[in-house]
Amino acid sequence: MVLLLSNNRPYDPFLITLTPTCKHATNWAVETVDGLQNTIAILSEREGARSVKVCMRKGHCQSPRWSNVLSDEKWVWSNIPVGKMQTHVTVRGDARMAVYAYGGDNRHGYGIAGVSSTDTPPPPPPADPCDQVKCRVKERCEKGKCVHVSLATCHAQGDPHYLTFDGRRYNFQVGLGRLHQSSPAIHYRVYLYFYLLHSIEAARDTLERDQLS
């Protein structure tokens, strides 16, 4: 990142992030700012620089006028004024380069690096939160946490008819009960029932009659 200073003639000081040479590319886009004197700045490898075109709208492109970088003959640079209107500018060619837009007015200034549409690998996908999670048998990982997996079901029909998770059927009247445990995550509830003495006896008699029949 570089801080560009001036005496406010013409621009206020501003910061701009420089693109490292390892990220130079052949295809760039940059947006200018409405109402300010805008300039496109290009730093390009000398080889292939003649092919570079700067386009501000469809059918209106121009070739930069290159100047030498005195410290390194491999590079050339160019500044291209593009006016005061907000404009989508594209820069394309066979040379690897970096593109910037900067500008301003009295007491105003800005600088921005262009966006490359080539030679830039896509961002890596987010890490799977379950990659490092090991779940037990009959569990699976969801969003980084182990949740129970079971296809077993139970139900109650009417007043005395029950089917348990292990597939057994029971028919008996129950007494007073209360919720003992529940889990919204895997949708189950466990009830403890308290039987009056005559309810227990009635249930026992019912089971004995079922066994005899």
Side-chain angles (χ1 to χ4, degrees), residues 100-123:
Y100 308 89
Y102 70 91
D105 206 339
N106 188 31
R107 302 292 178 181
H108 296 281
Y110 84 97
I112 186 172
V115 177
S116 169
S117 58
T118 60
D119 299 335
T120 302

Side-chain angles (χ1 to χ4, degrees), residues 18-25 43 45 74-75 96-98 100:
L18 298 184
T19 305
T21 55
C22 63
K23 292 187 177 181
H24 284 191
L43 175 66
E45 291 181 335
K74 179 182 177 181
W75 301 95
R96 292 178 60 84
M97 54 191 162
Y100 308 89

Side-chain angles (χ1 to χ4, degrees), residues 39-44 63-67 76-80:
T39 300
I40 302 300
I42 308 172
L43 175 66
S44 172
S63 299
R65 293 184 178 180
W66 298 107
S67 299
V76 291
W77 65 273
S78 179
N79 281 341
I80 304 171

